[in-house]
Amino acid sequence: MVLRRGAPSQGDDTYAREVDFFSGADNPILASRKYSATYRCALDLTFYPFDTQACNFMFVLTSARRERLKLEQEGEGVNYTASTQLLEYSIVEVTAMLTNHSRHSALKVTVRFRRRYGFAILTVYTPSCFFVIIAYLTTFYPLSNLQVRVVIALTAMLVLTTLLNQVSANLPRNSYFKALDIWMFGAIGLIFSILILQTMADVMQRREAEAGAAKVSPEEGTKTLLTGGLMHVRPRWCLYARPFMTAQQLMRVMQVGYPAVTLALVVAYVAYLLTSLY
C-alpha cells in the first residue's frame, strides 16, 4: 500500500479525467508479508530449574544487497503480542538490534526466557526434604529396632533415586551436572550416611552386649564368651580395648549433627545459585 503522507499534484489537460499524482519521495510504499518459521535454541541447563535462557533469531534480507534494500528499526524493532506466561517459561524481555552483515541487511532479535520453577519446588524439592526428615527421625528409634530404622531410611533413598530418574527422563540428555542433580545427590548422600552410621551403631551395640556377657580366664589370659552354646576365645588385649564412643553416644551425635550439616548444605546450595545467577 501507499502511505499518503504528502500532498498530491493535479495532472495536465492531456489526461481524459482528473488524476492525482503522489511523489514517491513524500509517499512511501509499504509492503507487508507474513512468515512462519521454526527456530531451534540451544539451552544451557546447568542451573535447572532456576535457569534463564536467551534465544537469538537472525532476520536477513537476502533478496537484495544492503545498499539497495535495508532494514530500519522503529521503536523497539519487534513487538511480542502473545502471553508472556508459557507452560514452562516466562518471557522476560524481547529485544532487537540491527547487525552488520557482509552483504545483506540483518536484524538480530533476542528473546530471554526464565523458567517457572514453582512446579519443581512442589514436586521435587519439597518431597526430597520430607524424605530426608523421615530418614533423620529414625535416629530417635530404639537401638533394638535396627530393621525398622534401616527399612525406613532405605525406602526413602530408593524413592529419591526413582524421583531423580523420572525428572532426568523428561529433560534433554547432557553430560554435565544440573543444579537439581546436585540437590538430589546431596539428599541421597545424607540418607546413605544415615544408613552407614545406623549400621555402625548396631555393631557397636552388639560389641557392648558381648563385652557385658564376657567372662575372663586369668590362667589362660584370654576372654571367653558364651553365646548360643558356642565358646569364642579372644586375646587379652581385647579386654582393655575400649571404643572411643558408645552406640548411644553415636546416636546422640547424629541427632544433633545432622540438622547442622543439612542446614549448612542448604545454605551453601542457595549461595551457589545466587552467586551464579545474579
Side-chain angles (χ1 to χ4, degrees), residues 29-31 33 35 59-72 98-99 101 103-107:
I29 297 177
L30 175 64
R33 291 184 180 181
Y35 295 93
F59 297 91
V60 183
L61 289 177
T62 58
S63 57
R65 297 176 63 92
R66 60 182 178 181
E67 292 81 4
R68 295 181 175 272
L69 184 63
K70 67 178 181 178
L71 290 169
E72 291 187 357
L98 294 173
T99 60
H101 196 273
R103 296 180 179 180
H104 309 286
S105 180
L107 178 68

Side-chain angles (χ1 to χ4, degrees), residues 2-22:
V2 177
L3 301 180
R4 297 184 180 183
R5 297 178 179 176
S9 60
Q10 299 293 328
D12 53 21
D13 297 337
T14 59
Y15 292 93
R17 57 181 181 178
E18 295 184 356
V19 179
D20 292 335
F21 290 91
F22 294 86

Side-chain angles (χ1 to χ4, degrees), residues 57 59 73 75-79 94-99 107-111:
F57 308 95
F59 297 91
Q73 182 174 346
E76 298 180 356
V78 60
N79 294 324
V94 180
T95 58
M97 179 180 62
L98 294 173
T99 60
L107 178 68
K108 179 181 179 181
V109 178
T110 301
V111 182

Side-chain angles (χ1 to χ4, degrees), residues 162-175:
T162 304
L163 181 61
L164 176 61
N165 293 332
Q166 290 179 353
V167 174
S168 300
N170 296 328
L171 296 176
R173 295 183 179 273
N174 50 63
S175 59

Side-chain angles (χ1 to χ4, degrees), residues 32-96:
S32 177
R33 291 184 180 181
K34 184 177 180 179
Y35 295 93
S36 177
T38 301
Y39 288 86
R40 291 185 179 181
C41 182
L43 303 181
D44 184 8
L45 301 177
T46 303
F47 300 104
Y48 175 87
F50 306 101
D51 55 319
T52 301
Q53 308 295 337
C55 295
N56 298 319
F57 308 95
M58 291 293 297
F59 297 91
V60 183
L61 289 177
T62 58
S63 57
R65 297 176 63 92
R66 60 182 178 181
E67 292 81 4
R68 295 181 175 272
L69 184 63
K70 67 178 181 178
L71 290 169
E72 291 187 357
Q73 182 174 346
E74 294 184 0
E76 298 180 356
V78 60
N79 294 324
Y80 180 82
T81 58
S83 174
T84 58
Q85 300 297 324
L86 307 180
L87 180 61
E88 297 184 16
Y89 290 93
S90 297
I91 297 181
V92 180
E93 62 177 352
V94 180
T95 58

